[in-house]
Amino acid sequence: MTDRIAAAALAALLLGTTPGWAQTVDPTTPAPGNPATTPAGTPERKPGTPAPHRPNASDQVFVVAAAQGGLAEVAFGKLAEAQGGSDAVRDFGRQMVRDHGKANDRLADLAKAAGIVLPREMDAEHQAIHDKLKGLKGADFDRAYVASQIADHQVTAQLLEYEIGAGQDEGLKGFATETLPVVFHHLQMAQGLHTEMATASTAPPIPKAK
């Protein structure tokens, strides 16, 4: 994968699109080596298997996007803890801080071992969403936050599937494989919150006692 394709891949993921290379895979079955994305001359542990900590361009795209998304999830979750209008949203935000914080720490260790420099800040798109959420409170915050969580976790699932299918570094591919079910669970939780809020907003008012 060339640098231009890698950049396009990252942009597509952050915009929430599903390019042709982002194939859906079975998260329980790690993909084998990827000769098509393994640069020529890559040291091998055995024929067809790259040596440890030898990332390809796909690994680098994955790490940068995953790190920026992870930073955003923790920051958004902290906002939800402080500004959420319901216990359910505040609890969900607390779980995002906890789960994504752990994932961020592990990703940082794997990136260091692979020689990939992590971004220190959210990307511009996530920063804009953060700034918008920061100005909301209560039910308005809940609706906007949950909507952003559904969109973000859908994109994150695509990103993890991309790494499983196109990555080369065994540690990063393993991280993606193990993290994908967690992200799907988070997505289901966010979708459940969305359904609950939609149901509550359309429910008839409770009659007042005479």
Side-chain angles (χ1 to χ4, degrees):
M1 178 180 287
T2 65
D3 291 343
R4 180 178 297 179
I5 295 175
L10 176 56
L13 285 166
L14 293 178
L15 289 173
T17 58
T18 309
W21 44 260
Q23 300 176 2
T24 300
V25 298
D26 181 353
T28 64
T29 306
N34 295 281
T37 57
T38 300
T42 298
E44 296 181 327
R45 183 173 58 188
K46 60 182 181 180
T49 303
H53 312 312
R54 295 288 177 174
N56 61 4
S58 300
D59 292 319
Q60 296 177 35
V61 168
F62 166 71
V63 168
V64 171
Q68 289 176 329
L71 289 171
E73 286 300 332
V74 171
F76 292 0
K78 290 180 178 179
L79 284 180
E81 288 185 85
Q83 298 174 207
S86 70
D87 289 340
V89 168
R90 289 191 293 271
D91 289 343
F92 178 80
R94 192 171 297 112
Q95 183 169 345
M96 294 306 99
V97 172
R98 181 174 64 250
D99 291 353
H100 285 279
K102 291 179 180 178
N104 291 350
D105 290 343
R106 186 178 173 202
L107 181 63
D109 290 339
L110 291 169
K112 182 178 180 180
I116 302 174
V117 178
L118 290 178
R120 296 179 179 272
E121 299 177 349
M122 289 182 279
D123 56 277
E125 183 179 357
H126 280 114
Q127 186 62 58
I129 296 172
H130 182 271
D131 293 344
K132 178 181 178 181
L133 291 174
K134 197 171 182 180
L136 302 174
K137 292 183 180 180
D140 290 338
F141 175 91
D142 290 355
R143 286 189 292 270
Y145 172 63
V146 170
S148 74
Q149 287 297 290
I150 292 173
D152 272 0
H153 282 86
Q154 288 172 336
V155 173
T156 300
Q158 293 175 15
L159 176 63
L160 294 167
E161 290 174 337
Y162 161 60
E163 171 62 17
I164 293 168
Q168 175 175 282
D169 183 271
E170 290 184 1
L172 293 171
K173 286 165 65 69
F175 169 82
T177 300
E178 294 172 12
T179 304
L180 184 57
V182 178
V183 169
F184 278 137
H185 178 59
H186 290 171
L187 176 59
Q188 291 173 346
M189 292 175 66
Q191 290 170 331
L193 286 172
H194 175 75
T195 300
E196 290 176 9
M197 288 188 293
T199 300
S201 66
T202 58
I206 300 174
K208 294 183 180 180
K210 295 182 179 180

